[in-house]
Amino acid sequence: MADRQRGRRRPGGRRVSAIRLRGRSTLALALVSVVGLVAFGWPLFAAAHSGLGHSGDAPWLFAVLLPLLLVVVLAEVSDGGIDAKAVALLGVLAAVGAVLRPLGGGVTGFQPMFVLLILGGRALGPGFGFVLGMVTTFASALLTGGVGPWLPFQMLGAAWVGLGAGLLPPLRGRAETWLLVGYGAASGIAYGFLLNLWSWPFTTGLSSSVSFVPGDPLVANLGRFLAYCLVTSLGFDIPRAIGNMALLAVTSGPLLRALRRASRRAAFGDPVVFVPARLEGER
């Protein structure tokens, strides 16, 4: 009964969901993702006189997105989809990720934190990967003083990386390693492009060939945005992708085995049954 409740048996093995996405939490996650897509993608679709093309709007997006992100966690807790064992494992992995994040970053663009998010989402399910990405990014921002209007966008981008890893097809062995290596490369580039999309309208002093033009046709602004990524951030995104690939190729096997062993021992979702102790005279 417990196996049927926690997941389905597949050719590649049973899927584990340390945080089960039930109806309310799935709705909250979908709502956050839709709002996030709008918050990231509005520069490509906004009209010329929509009033969005100035930096004063960023704090408002921050104020809207952050509570919605918190709703995901609160919905899980109130819906019974996360238990004490999952909270404990989430805390440990988020702390490790928060420490790993400053080890890369600034100079090369590579952040080993993303490897942990990918492996966490892969081994423990998409819901766990989403929350792990969100909490890890928030914790690391507190540690490094990186709190600002960009933080909810970083949190959402990292959460999508963990969520996507949990939704990858079920494979095992070498095929799974190659799958994760490819996903690590793609997510490393995609994360950089997403964060560029947020900062692009607020970057001043750029050439007209790469700057945001409110109200321009989609194709014209998309071309400028790709040129903007090419000249400003691709030198950081490619090292991030290569670093993800290298670390996942070397560490995914043993780390996935360790996480899956921990999840089997934790038996996420199994009901806790209290058995009354026998009195001495009843033996």
Side-chain angles (χ1 to χ4, degrees):
M1 178 65 74
D3 283 344
R4 290 200 298 271
Q5 291 174 341
R6 293 197 307 270
R8 295 168 290 174
R9 287 191 177 278
R10 300 207 174 183
R14 179 169 60 80
R15 281 183 178 271
V16 173
S17 296
I19 296 180
R20 287 172 292 171
L21 294 176
R22 297 179 177 176
R24 184 165 48 186
S25 52
T26 301
L27 181 62
L29 193 151
L31 178 62
V32 168
S33 296
V34 169
V35 174
L37 287 174
V38 173
F40 277 115
W42 69 263
L44 299 177
F45 303 98
H49 305 292
S50 61
L52 290 173
H54 54 84
S55 59
D57 295 317
W60 291 106
L61 292 176
F62 176 84
V64 171
L65 273 177
L66 189 55
L68 287 174
L69 290 169
L70 294 175
V71 164
V72 176
V73 178
L74 295 177
E76 284 293 341
V77 173
S78 61
D79 207 23
I82 181 170
D83 58 17
K85 293 171 288 187
V87 171
L89 187 55
L90 178 66
V92 171
L93 293 182
V96 173
V99 173
L100 286 177
R101 189 181 182 193
L103 298 181
V107 177
T108 64
F110 172 55
Q111 293 180 340
M113 174 190 78
F114 286 98
V115 173
L116 182 69
L117 302 185
I118 292 171
L119 295 178
R122 177 67 179 173
L124 301 168
F128 190 91
F130 186 89
V131 179
L132 178 63
M134 183 181 64
V135 175
T136 301
T137 308
F138 183 71
S140 65
L142 294 181
L143 286 177
T144 60
V147 179
W150 55 84
L151 179 56
F153 297 90
Q154 292 178 338
M155 291 169 63
L156 191 56
W160 281 340
V161 171
L163 174 73
L167 295 175
L168 291 174
L171 297 174
R172 285 292 187 270
R174 191 166 296 178
E176 184 179 35
T177 299
W178 285 115
L179 177 67
L180 292 177
V181 167
Y183 181 75
S187 61
I189 298 291
Y191 180 82
F193 275 45
L194 267 181
L195 269 295
N196 286 343
L197 194 54
W198 170 75
S199 62
W200 181 45
F202 311 119
T203 305
T204 59
L206 296 175
S207 164
S208 59
S209 61
V210 298
S211 61
F212 170 59
V213 178
D216 247 24
L218 170 63
V219 175
N221 261 333
L222 185 61
R224 292 192 191 92
F225 172 67
L226 294 177
Y228 171 80
C229 292
L230 181 64
V231 300
T232 60
S233 74
L234 204 58
F236 296 93
D237 298 334
I238 290 178
R240 183 187 305 115
I242 294 175
N244 287 349
M245 293 170 64
L247 263 187
L248 286 168
V250 173
T251 64
S252 63
L255 289 181
L256 280 177
R257 283 194 294 273
L259 289 172
R260 285 169 176 154
R261 189 180 305 116
S263 70
R264 284 195 299 271
R265 291 180 179 276
F268 297 112
D270 279 354
V272 177
V273 178
F274 294 96
V275 179
R278 292 182 176 180
L279 299 177
E280 189 67 27
E282 296 177 349
R283 295 179 178 175

